[in-house]
Amino acid sequence: MEILISNWSNVECVPKKYIFPPERRPGKLEFPVCHDIPLIDFAHNHPDEIVQQVIRACQEFGIFQVINHGVCENLMYATMNMYKEFFKLPSEYKAKFYSNDINKSCRIYSSTFAYDTEEFHYWRDNFTHRCHPLEEYIQSWPDKPPKYREVVSEYSRETRKLLYKILDMICKGLGLEKGYFEGEVSKTHLLSVNHHIPCPNPSLTLGMPVHSDPNLITLLQQCDVPGLQILKDGQWIGVHHVPHSLIVIPGIQLKVMSNDKFITPVHRVVTHRLEARTTIGVFLGPSLEFLIKPATALVRTEPAEFRAFTYPEFFKVFNGGANKSDAQLTLNHFRDKH
Ligand SMILES: O=C(O)CCC(=O)C(=O)O
Ligand SMILES: [Fe+2]
């Protein structure tokens, strides 16, 4: 069978390989939608108040949405359309980018990078590429749909600017020097797009594994088809879509650098019976050499909750057998036992 689900047509039932065992299925289709997820307006509040709202959200919810964030609505719309069109391109064109090698700077794959060995497949295609420095990577990007490189480079620049603005708010709120999260700690800049075709029975399968983001910080643009859920107080709840908003998710490394003050939310994606769903994620993460540890300014006055480690060291534990991408289990491994 075709690996990429975006090449499938007339899907009438969920193929066996996509049917999860009962205990891992989403089961019921109606999930409570949470309207308590902090919604922060970046334009109509005092800057100090916005910083407080961001810090509170990172500490209490670990996920928040921003509006009036400065990324132009037309650009968001154009980029989303670009990706909807990209996934509709002929299979021969997309095949040029197919790879399960995570070191490849531009690639499309389906389910997870472990497609060949995994027991069950997730109902998604993913297209990921590196974005910074732009001159280094732009040639590896697709040249279709027309204007792809033009639109997506503008989008990467604008969303990157916003992420650094948020990181500087976090610096201010935590009492770290401005620019603390610039350089090696956020050197890896990826754009990662999920695409799910309509699924005949969403109760049987998942669009993305249960996970916490392993990077520093994530920005997510949703479309109007729901699917993202976070685990809150032991319950899965749907994240409602606010038009023109962007979602911010603190990654595991930000939790470590905040010396365990922040929450990195556990989340997953469920599929939709009638409509295709596309989301655009922008991920900043450390370089392979950077030593990740609680911020120096924080551990002058309080004990460090984690020992220092590199990103490759982290992934060895995170992807290791029993941990199954579980942030808590992985972090226990690096936790300093005072
Ligand atoms: O597609 C979504 O809504 C979530 C994506 C996500 O969690 C991720 O790419 O890490
Ligand atoms: Fe995620």
Side-chain angles (χ1 to χ4, degrees):
M1 190 168 69
E2 239 318 330
I3 292 178
L4 296 179
I5 63 168
S6 52
N7 295 336
W8 295 359
S9 51
N10 304 323
V11 188
E12 276 168 13
C13 59
V14 181
K16 204 159 158 239
K17 202 61 187 171
Y18 293 78
I19 303 180
F20 282 82
E23 67 282 6
R24 287 176 61 196
R25 291 178 197 167
K28 62 175 182 172
L29 295 177
E30 293 302 318
F31 287 91
V33 168
C34 182
H35 292 277
D36 296 340
I37 293 175
L39 180 66
I40 306 180
D41 186 337
F42 274 9
H44 299 106
N45 280 305
H46 188 276
D48 292 344
E49 173 56 21
I50 299 172
V51 166
Q52 287 319 310
Q53 288 180 0
V54 167
I55 297 293
R56 221 177 300 132
C58 291
Q59 289 177 328
E60 290 170 11
F61 238 98
I63 183 172
F64 57 97
Q65 313 205 50
V66 288
I67 48 168
N68 297 317
H69 39 61
V71 180
C72 166
E73 280 170 22
N74 288 345
L75 179 63
M76 289 173 67
Y77 182 77
T79 311
M80 182 56 83
N81 271 344
M82 191 62 76
Y83 284 113
K84 287 185 177 163
E85 291 307 313
F86 174 80
F87 283 101
K88 283 187 210 154
L89 287 170
S91 54
E92 305 76 48
Y93 185 76
K94 285 181 282 180
K96 292 188 202 184
F97 299 94
Y98 186 83
S99 174
N100 276 327
D101 176 2
I102 54 168
N103 295 314
K104 218 158 163 247
S105 62
C106 179
R107 66 194 181 97
I108 192 169
Y109 62 97
S110 201
S111 184
T112 75
F113 63 85
Y115 187 91
D116 296 334
T117 50
E118 66 196 9
E119 203 177 349
F120 304 99
H121 296 321
Y122 292 88
W123 193 269
R124 72 143 176 186
D125 286 347
N126 177 278
F127 181 60
T128 294
H129 63 58
R130 288 176 182 259
C131 298
H132 191 80
L134 200 60
E135 322 77 72
E136 198 173 313
Y137 295 115
I138 196 164
Q139 294 306 324
S140 68
W141 295 3
D143 52 5
K144 284 182 195 160
K147 296 211 172 154
Y148 180 92
R149 291 180 184 176
E150 197 180 310
V151 171
V152 175
S153 47
E154 179 68 7
Y155 186 81
S156 330
R157 260 193 298 267
E158 290 301 303
T159 48
R160 180 180 175 83
K161 220 189 293 169
L162 174 61
L163 277 169
Y164 278 113
K165 184 170 154 181
I166 296 169
L167 285 170
D168 267 338
M169 290 178 186
I170 291 173
C171 285
K172 194 160 182 206
L174 287 180
L176 311 179
E177 67 201 68
K178 192 169 186 297
Y180 191 81
F181 295 109
E182 278 170 31
E184 293 294 309
V185 58
S186 56
K187 195 175 173 195
T188 314
H189 174 174
L190 299 176
L191 203 133
S192 160
V193 183
N194 280 332
H195 181 76
H196 320 266
I197 61 168
C199 174
N201 189 344
S203 72
L204 301 178
T205 191
L206 283 169
M208 238 200 126
V210 174
H211 71 285
S212 290
D213 289 356
N215 52 308
L216 183 72
I217 192 164
T218 307
L219 192 69
L220 204 59
Q221 180 180 337
Q222 303 266 297
C223 64
D224 51 11
V225 180
L228 178 63
Q229 300 182 335
I230 63 164
L231 191 61
K232 178 92 176 105
D233 306 323
Q235 264 224 339
W236 286 107
I237 50 175
V239 177
H240 74 291
H241 175 67
V242 177
H244 316 304
S245 71
L246 288 163
I247 294 177
V248 182
I249 302 180
I252 299 175
Q253 310 314 332
L254 195 55
K255 178 181 173 71
V256 171
M257 294 184 80
S258 76
N259 203 26
D260 216 11
K261 291 186 173 46
F262 287 178
I263 289 173
T264 179
V266 175
H267 53 289
R268 69 177 187 184
V269 172
V270 295
T271 60
H272 197 277
R273 197 169 70 80
L274 301 172
E275 290 183 80
R277 175 177 184 272
T278 308
T279 59
I280 310 169
V282 184
F283 292 73
L284 293 183
S287 67
L288 298 182
E289 299 78 30
F290 182 76
L291 211 50
I292 302 152
K293 57 182 193 317
T296 321
L298 297 177
V299 296
R300 268 190 214 118
T301 50
E302 53 196 59
E305 296 298 333
F306 304 99
R307 70 167 172 85
F309 54 86
T310 62
Y311 216 21
E313 246 184 292
F314 169 83
F315 273 110
K316 215 187 250 174
V317 183
F318 191 62
N319 293 334
N323 290 329
K324 294 224 168 52
S325 308
D326 185 305
Q328 292 311 332
L329 288 179
T330 305
L331 286 180
N332 283 345
H333 184 89
F334 297 104
R335 215 169 261 286
D336 227 330
K337 296 166 187 82
H338 323 290

